[in-house]
Amino acid sequence: MENQIRWLVDEALSLMKIRNPASTFRDALECMIYDNMTEEEYGQMLNTIKFLQELWHYPDEPGEAPKKYEMNVLMLLANAIEALSRLHAQYQMKDI
């Protein structure tokens, strides 16, 4: 019974995957969707995509490991919470 539940959870998580926004951004660039953007707007979007794509990794992988094409929603949530915690700590250090 426990193995069945574990299998069901794994199966559900495999269905709830989110694509890395860097892949979507790259596809949009190839279709020239952002051609009308100013350099500043493009730079802001690129910085946002670079930040977000860092969430698409597994914690036990080295930092230079290639980012994943897609990842399950629970792992992304864990990575986002970790990233927010690091940002919060950085901002608190600035206030000291």
Side-chain angles (χ1 to χ4, degrees):
M1 180 69 162
E2 188 175 318
N3 285 339
Q4 287 177 328
I5 293 172
R6 186 173 303 163
W7 181 84
L8 287 172
V9 169
D10 289 345
E11 189 67 22
L13 289 176
S14 73
L15 296 174
M16 297 188 312
K17 291 193 175 188
I18 298 176
R19 188 173 174 198
N20 188 326
S23 299
T24 306
F25 184 67
R26 186 175 38 256
D27 293 347
L29 287 175
E30 290 174 2
C31 294
M32 298 183 282
I33 291 176
Y34 302 120
D35 281 0
N36 295 329
M37 283 185 145
T38 66
E39 293 272 333
E40 184 178 340
E41 291 170 328
Y42 177 79
Q44 289 174 346
M45 182 172 272
L46 185 59
N47 288 336
T48 301
I49 295 296
K50 285 179 180 179
F51 174 78
L52 289 175
Q53 83 166 351
E54 291 300 315
L55 301 176
W56 269 258
H57 75 281
Y58 291 103
D60 57 347
E61 292 181 326
E64 66 277 354
K67 303 306 175 216
K68 303 300 177 205
Y69 175 76
E70 61 184 16
M71 187 166 279
N72 79 58
V73 68
L74 293 180
M75 183 57 69
L76 285 173
L77 178 60
N79 289 345
I81 290 170
E82 180 184 346
L84 287 172
S85 295
R86 283 194 310 259
L87 285 174
H88 180 70
Q90 288 175 356
Y91 285 122
Q92 285 202 336
M93 294 300 288
K94 287 181 183 179
D95 290 341
I96 295 178

